[in-house]
């Protein structure tokens, strides 16, 4: 009813578990319907189906338009796979109407797609399916949420990636999505959960005992739970805590863009939007992580974290000092050449970002940033 | 490039015991087979400007047999030919060294590895420091044109003080040539099985830089990545490898490169001997080297030595644009068609090669 689409029911039946035509399905029954529809995108999950001739007066309550909440960039590790990734996303969209995607270009990672997901689980599943079912090697950027920005000129913007954020001087205010998290945890895990929620800018709502467990409710910025909140929650409660969350709306937050510069050039895929008070700590941890993950190269590689042009943290990957093949005589030449070829193979798994070779782990290191900034575990 | 080879390598795979780092094929007894293969391949040889008897420990072969091999070679030697042999210090005495000189060996390379007893033990080397010193002295007395010593850095447990001691010792011995290798842990060696750990890059670089600096101060030229020589004592046989010249290798496991074709005799002494006794060539793995492979090898080899690489001869790099970047970064020098690594560049030549060439 929401789409206003009319189709012919060519066959209806029940799943039992094989498809069994019954000729008729009554209100409240579950079953299947065969139509001439070509694209699942024409249908909305949760919509009400009714007869075109004898229309229901109103759709069943509870339907909500699905809206992606979590976004990340998906880039093929091998840029030649870009067309394959597009085909894969198209095919995946055929049976997953909630997946949204549009082309995105990153200076650091080349051509890829910015994808929108219903939540974290959805994101993991899509990525996993793309890799397994379509045999693609993907690089996923840090997941982020959608921000609402009011510019000083009074315009309203929807920002889905750090790169889209206007310069700080043009921003009047930023609002970010908040979710209400319900965590069920045995009583001895309450402290750990509260600690985690506080670290992640959580606002305590209530705590209710339910049998031997406690139900904790916190309001948290969605951005704080899209990285590794769930992993942390599980690891800090020996796996006992469970998490459920739902969107409760947008709230204004003092957010800034944290840029990362490698050898002086900003790397868009590593930048992120963070709370002002956390920017310094995150920047420091991030450059330390990158310093450890980026291998030594022929020249020094300075790594800087900056907020609006002001550098808040800096580390340097020192240039290589020794990289030689010790012995090379008549009997070794082919073997030495193969060693160089093998070294090259290792380099292939790295992304050339400007003059710097960056391994994939470096991009992943941003994902787990929440771990050890501030008080950590 | 093509035409008969002027460089011959003979593999004499004998050792009394296997050293901790060794990956060579080793067995006893096969002089006749070696001479048979040499006769079989004679057509590929021109007048020989260098011969190298490597191992293993060639000096473990009975002098009578060694003499027989050299008798075969003598008519093929060009005037002033360099004939080198490798030896382990504990396997040679004064008498034997004189004999080697007498049968026509001009250059001897002694595998000392270190003068520190605890390091020698860790490498399973049989020689004591005194045996090393005495072998060097006897070799010098025997009248070889060049006496060389092999040493190692990056050995597990080698302290900066150990390295200084080895430097002082080898300089005091006054040898003509020194090969100072970084220890590699190869697959299938005892060191690998023991799980030995190599020093990290900074510590290894400290040691390497110290070796170069110490030997240069003592009057040796750092003429190749791991080789140092007093003027006129460079190993001409090795220089032939680094200038990508053709060479013939004879013996089990030996490698030859002639006219764009490389082959390696299969390992396995028994099968090697059996094949030659039956009058056929030993089993060989053959590798055809296409022009791109040859060009990349010329760069890989040519940048090892301290002489300029002529790009007119070697061919262009795969990424010529990298030349300028490397030059600006102080890793490489250019003059016309000639290219050479700077001092800093020589320490990181693999990384430089990766910038210049496409080792696919």
């Amino acid at each position: 009813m929401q789409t206003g689409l009319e189709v012919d029911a060519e066959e209806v039946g029940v799943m039992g578990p094989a498809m069994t035509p019954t000729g008729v399905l009554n209100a409240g029954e579950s079953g299947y319907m065969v139509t001439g529809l070509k694209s699942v995108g024409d249908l909305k999950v949760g919509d009400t189906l009714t007869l075109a001739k004898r229309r229901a007066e109103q759709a069943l309550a509870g339907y909500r338009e699905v809206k992606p909440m979590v976004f990340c960039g998906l880039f093929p590790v091998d840029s030649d796979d870009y067309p394959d990734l597009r085909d894969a996303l198209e095919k995946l969209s055929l049976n997953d109407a909630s997946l949204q995607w549009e082309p995105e270009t990153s200076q650091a990672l080349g051509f890829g797609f910015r994808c929108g997901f219903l939540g974290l689980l959805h994101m993991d599943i899509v990525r996993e399916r793309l890799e397994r079912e379509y045999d693609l090697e993907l690089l996923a950027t840090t997941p982020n949420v959608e921000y609402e920005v009011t510019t000083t000129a009074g315009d309203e913007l929807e920002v889905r990636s750090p790169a889209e954020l206007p310069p700080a001087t043009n921003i009047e205010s930023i609002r970010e999505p908040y979710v209400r998290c319900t965590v069920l945890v045995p009583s001895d895990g309450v402290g750990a959960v509260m600690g985690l929620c506080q670290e992640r800018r959580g606002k305590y709502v209530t705590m209710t005992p339910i049998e031997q467990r406690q139900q904790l409710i916190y309001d948290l910025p969605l951005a704080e739970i899209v990285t590794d909140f769930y992993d942390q929650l599980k690891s800090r409660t020996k796996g006992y805590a469970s998490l459920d969350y739902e969107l409760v709306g947008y709230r204004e937050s003092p957010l800034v863009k944290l840029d990362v510069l490698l050898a002086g050039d900003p790397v868009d895929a590593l930048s992120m939007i963070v709370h002002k008070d956390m920017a310094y700590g995150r920047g420091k941890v991030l450059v330390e992580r990158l310093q450890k993950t980026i291998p030594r190269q022929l020249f020094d590689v300075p790594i800087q974290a900056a907020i609006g042009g002001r550098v808040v943290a800096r580390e340097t990957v020192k240039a290589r000092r020794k990289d030689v093949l010790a012995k090379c005589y008549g009997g070794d030449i082919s073997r030495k050449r193969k060693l160089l070829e093998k070294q090259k193979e290792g380099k292939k798994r790295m992304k050339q970002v400007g003059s710097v070779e960056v391994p994939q782990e470096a991009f992943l290191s941003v994902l787990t940033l929440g771990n050890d900034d501030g008080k950590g575990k | 490039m093509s035409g008969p080879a002027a460089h011959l390598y003979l593999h004499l795979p004998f050792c009394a015991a296997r050293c901790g780092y060794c990956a060579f094929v080793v067995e006893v007894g096969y002089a006749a087979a070696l001479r048979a293969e040499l006769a079989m391949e004679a057509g590929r040889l021109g007048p020989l400007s260098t011969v190298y008897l490597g191992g293993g420990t060639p000096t473990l072969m009975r002098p009578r047999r060694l003499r027989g091999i050299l008798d075969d070679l003598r008519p093929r030697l060009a005037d002033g030919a360099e004939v080198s042999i490798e030896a382990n210090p504990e396997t040679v005495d004064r008498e034997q060294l004189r004999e080697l000189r007498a049968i026509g060996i001009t250059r001897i390379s002694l595998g000392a590895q270190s003068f520190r007893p605890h390091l020698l033990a860790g490498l399973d080397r049989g020689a004591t420091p005194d045996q090393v010193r005495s072998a060097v002295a006897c070799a010098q007395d025997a009248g070889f044109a060049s006496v060389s010593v092999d040493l190692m850095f990056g050995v597990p447990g080698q302290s900066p003080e150990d390295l200084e001691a080895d430097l002082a010792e080898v300089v005091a011995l006054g040898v003509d040539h020194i090969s100072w290798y970084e220890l590699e842990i190869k697959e299938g060696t005892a060191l690998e099985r023991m799980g030995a750990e190599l020093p990290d890059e900074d510590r290894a670089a400290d040691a390497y830089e110290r070796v170069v600096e110490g030997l240069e101060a003592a009057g040796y030229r750092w003429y190749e990545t791991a080789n140092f020589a007093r003027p006129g004592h460079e190993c001409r046989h090795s220089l032939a490898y680094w200038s990508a010249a053709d060479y013939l290798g004879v013996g089990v496991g030996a490698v030859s490169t002639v006219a764009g074709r490389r082959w390696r005799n299969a390992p396995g002494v028994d099968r090697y001997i059996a094949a030659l006794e039956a009058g056929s060539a030993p089993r060989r793995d053959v590798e055809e080297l296409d022009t791109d492979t040859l060009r990349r090898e010329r760069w890989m080899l040519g940048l090892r030595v301290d002489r300029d690489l002529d790009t007119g001869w070697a061919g262009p790099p795969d990424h010529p644009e990298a030349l300028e970047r490397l030059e600006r970064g102080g890793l490489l020098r250019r003059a016309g068609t000639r290219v050479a690594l700077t001092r800093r560049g020589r320490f990181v030549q693999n990384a430089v090669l990766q910038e210049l060439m496409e080792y696919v």
Side-chain angles (χ1 to χ4, degrees), chain A residues 327-374:
Chain A
K327 279 187 180 184
C328 189
Y329 298 101
D332 307 313
I333 296 172
S334 285
R335 193 171 66 83
K336 297 295 173 182
R337 200 188 66 234
K338 281 172 189 143
L339 273 176
L340 288 170
E341 287 162 8
K342 216 163 131 191
Q343 267 192 346
K344 185 77 182 187
E345 196 55 36
K347 281 160 74 95
K348 269 196 200 146
R349 284 193 292 275
M350 302 219 232
K351 278 275 178 187
Q352 184 84 31
V353 179
S355 58
V356 184
E357 275 164 352
V358 184
Q360 294 190 45
E361 301 93 277
F363 296 101
L364 298 178
S365 69
V366 192
L367 283 174
T368 51
L369 252 198
N371 271 350
D372 48 17
D373 58 335

Side-chain angles (χ1 to χ4, degrees), chain A residues 296 298-299 320-331 333-334 336-337 340-341 343-344, chain B residues 181-182 201-202 206 209 227 242 247 262 264 287 297 304 344 347 349-351 354 358-359:
Chain A
R296 295 168 74 157
L298 266 175
F299 305 105
R320 294 212 64 167
R321 288 180 55 200
K322 184 193 68 70
D323 184 13
V324 300
L325 304 168
K327 279 187 180 184
C328 189
Y329 298 101
I333 296 172
S334 285
K336 297 295 173 182
R337 200 188 66 234
L340 288 170
E341 287 162 8
Q343 267 192 346
K344 185 77 182 187
Chain B
Y181 303 110
E182 179 177 17
E201 179 169 335
D202 280 317
D206 286 343
E209 284 170 9
N227 285 281
W242 301 320
Y247 54 92
R262 180 169 299 146
R264 174 189 285 272
E287 186 188 0
E297 285 191 355
R304 296 182 71 86
R344 230 194 94 212
F347 283 102
Q349 53 181 272
N350 281 358
Q354 292 290 1
E358 201 61 52
Y359 289 94

Side-chain angles (χ1 to χ4, degrees), chain A residues 53 55 71 87 94 164 174 176 220 231 253 280 306 319 330 370:
Chain A
K53 283 185 191 150
R55 228 168 231 284
F71 300 83
D87 290 350
L94 284 179
E164 292 173 12
I174 307 180
E176 63 176 330
L220 282 147
D231 292 345
S253 294
Y280 177 78

Side-chain angles (χ1 to χ4, degrees), chain B residues 50-131:
Chain B
T50 72
V51 176
Y52 196 99
L53 291 91
T57 308
T59 45
L60 279 177
M61 195 176 220
R62 290 201 185 126
R64 181 169 50 86
R65 297 227 174 86
L66 221 42
R67 182 186 289 273
I69 293 169
L70 281 150
D71 286 344
D72 285 359
L73 288 176
R74 203 158 295 115
R76 306 190 166 278
L77 294 180
D79 274 351
E82 172 192 279
V83 183
S84 302
I85 194 165
E86 288 178 350
N88 273 4
E90 74 277 20
T91 63
V92 287
D93 56 24
R94 182 172 299 271
E95 194 46 44
Q96 200 186 349
L97 287 165
R98 284 213 189 105
E99 206 176 326
L100 288 176
R101 181 67 202 95
I103 61 174
I105 308 280
T106 67
R107 184 181 179 277
I108 187 161
S109 171
L110 291 159
Q113 317 315 344
S114 175
F115 296 95
R116 308 295 279 172
H118 66 285
L119 297 179
L120 286 171
L123 295 170
D124 294 333
R125 298 292 290 191
T128 63
D130 278 339
Q131 281 176 315

